[in-house]
Amino acid sequence: MNITGVIAEYNPLHNGHAFHLRYARKETNADYLIAVMSGNFVQRGAPALLDKFVRTQAALLAGADLVIELPPLWSCASAEYFAGAGIALLGQLGCVSALCYGCETPDSSLFHTVCNCISHSADPGSRYSSLIADFQKKGDNIALAREKAVLELLADCDASAIMELFENPNNTLALEYQKAIALSGFPIDVYPIQRQGQGYHSKDLSNTFVSATAIRRFLADSTDPAHADASDAAPLSKVMPPHAYELLRRYQNAYPLLFEDDCSQMLHYALLKNMQDGFDDFADCTRDISNKICGHLDAYAGFSDFLTQLKSKDLTYTRISRTLLHILLNIRKDDYEIWKTRSYIPYARVLGFRKESRGLLGHLKKHTAIPLLTRAAEAKKIFSKDPQALSFFQKHLFADSVYRALVMEKGGNPMCNEYRQPIIIV
């Protein structure tokens, strides 16, 4: 049985995502496709536009056979941890033989050279890792430190071409997938796919294949993005599969769409609550960042405005956004340290599956090294003798409760909590 994995956010699902799923099935001759999908908070350090269950339904209707959640501890982490957790989750299922990911330069010989360089130097004690640490000590952010380390290790290659490769965010994530597979030892083959249409950060909606950024920006710029009517969202019908577009419209009739600034009030409370002790213990935070947050807190005027105040040459917008989100969700450095040594994730939270793919669940149960969690109520019994795993799941539930609270604060119908929400079956 050929089972292929993809790692995604579908925030929201668009034509490029649907193309990726079709390509993954065909190119790997997959009997089944498993999508590891970010939950209610995403990697750039923000709440998902739509909740995880409607995005699950969109993914299943676009061709995924099963959707498993990447928990919030890792879904809003840096590329290294995001990729490491995604690979760990697929690997622990015990029967996934391939990963298909999108990137900007999959056919480039240089891309493969850099992949090989990182894969063979992925050990924490390697020169690659030492170089990254040295560059970070000199004030470089992680992305620049990673790029400089590769430039030094591949001194004979075209430096400008390597720099251009690292300018593309999907390339960076692809390299982290390669590294994670090399470190884990999981027998997973990789199948890169050329990213279709507009670039990751493009805001252009004129192409059939556009970025999720462009869709989110369009919705954010609507007169009333929380409850736009059908005519407001009409241009999106050309860039999203019909079912995904219809799900978006239906969702808007019941719930508001969430954006970064919808976290403003709750984040302000979390910052004030923790200010006395500082923020050093939170994931992605340093003493310097903590001091900076404390020094600017009196001028806090909202999430995005605070990000602008804190941004500097050595601190990217996304790094700060993740740090603030970790404070909001109470994600600590200790959480990272514990779960990096415990294969990242202690369970596979099933969000949905296709009726005709029921056989996949049975197959997984025979091979998986971690429990399949189809109902939240199962967790307490499953982890009765593992308090760390139960604590991990409780942080997962807390993040989902925060998301529901943000939706309620913005307006709309009450959302089901994790205990009452059934998994999605299409």
Side-chain angles (χ1 to χ4, degrees), residues 78-186:
S78 66
E80 178 182 9
Y81 292 148
F82 179 93
I87 296 301
L89 188 47
L90 288 172
Q92 289 182 98
L93 293 178
C95 52
V96 176
S97 57
L99 172 74
C100 184
Y101 59 74
C103 59
E104 287 83 1
T105 56
D107 297 325
S108 163
S109 61
L110 179 61
F111 176 81
H112 292 288
T113 298
V114 174
C115 280
N116 289 333
C117 170
I118 291 178
S119 295
H120 292 125
S121 307
D123 189 273
S126 68
R127 185 162 176 250
Y128 173 69
S129 298
S130 298
L131 285 170
I132 289 177
D134 289 343
F135 287 125
Q136 285 188 286
K137 288 177 184 177
K138 294 176 183 177
D140 292 330
N141 61 52
I142 181 62
L144 184 57
R146 187 186 296 115
E147 179 182 322
K148 286 184 175 180
V150 170
L151 284 169
E152 189 158 327
L153 290 171
L154 297 177
D156 294 336
C157 293
D158 185 341
S160 61
I162 291 177
M163 292 168 66
E164 184 177 349
L165 185 149
F166 273 95
E167 287 175 0
N168 295 296
N170 285 287
N171 279 347
T172 301
L173 197 53
L175 295 171
E176 291 298 339
Y177 289 141
Q178 299 273 172
K179 185 180 79 172
I181 291 171
L183 278 172
S184 68
F186 290 126

Side-chain angles (χ1 to χ4, degrees), residues 12-23 62 193-215 235-242:
L13 188 138
H14 52 63
N15 289 340
H17 294 134
F19 177 87
H20 176 208
L21 288 167
R22 291 193 300 271
Y23 177 95
I193 173 178
Q194 176 73 49
R195 181 181 173 83
Q196 300 296 306
Q198 303 297 323
Y200 180 87
H201 295 297
S202 173
K203 299 170 187 174
D204 182 10
L205 280 177
S206 63
N207 199 303
T208 302
F209 293 100
V210 303
S211 69
T213 301
I215 296 174
L236 301 183
S237 64
K238 298 178 181 179
V239 300
M240 300 175 70

Side-chain angles (χ1 to χ4, degrees), residues 1-4 24-26 28-34 63 65 97 356-357 360:
M1 182 180 291
N2 289 334
I3 301 175
T4 295
R25 187 179 296 277
K26 181 179 179 181
T28 65
N29 194 29
D31 297 301
Y32 295 109
L33 287 179
I34 296 177
D65 293 292
S97 57
E356 61 264 37
S357 304
L360 175 59

Side-chain angles (χ1 to χ4, degrees), residues 248-285:
L248 169 64
R249 287 180 56 196
R250 270 192 264 155
Y251 185 88
Q252 286 178 284
N253 288 330
Y255 306 109
L257 306 178
L258 290 189
F259 301 90
E260 289 89 337
D261 279 332
D262 295 317
C263 298
S264 294
Q265 186 173 346
M266 200 176 290
L267 173 64
H268 196 195
Y269 172 77
L271 293 172
L272 292 171
K273 180 183 177 183
N274 292 283
M275 182 180 179
Q276 186 173 354
D277 296 326
F279 306 97
D280 303 26
D281 292 340
F282 289 96
D284 264 331
C285 199

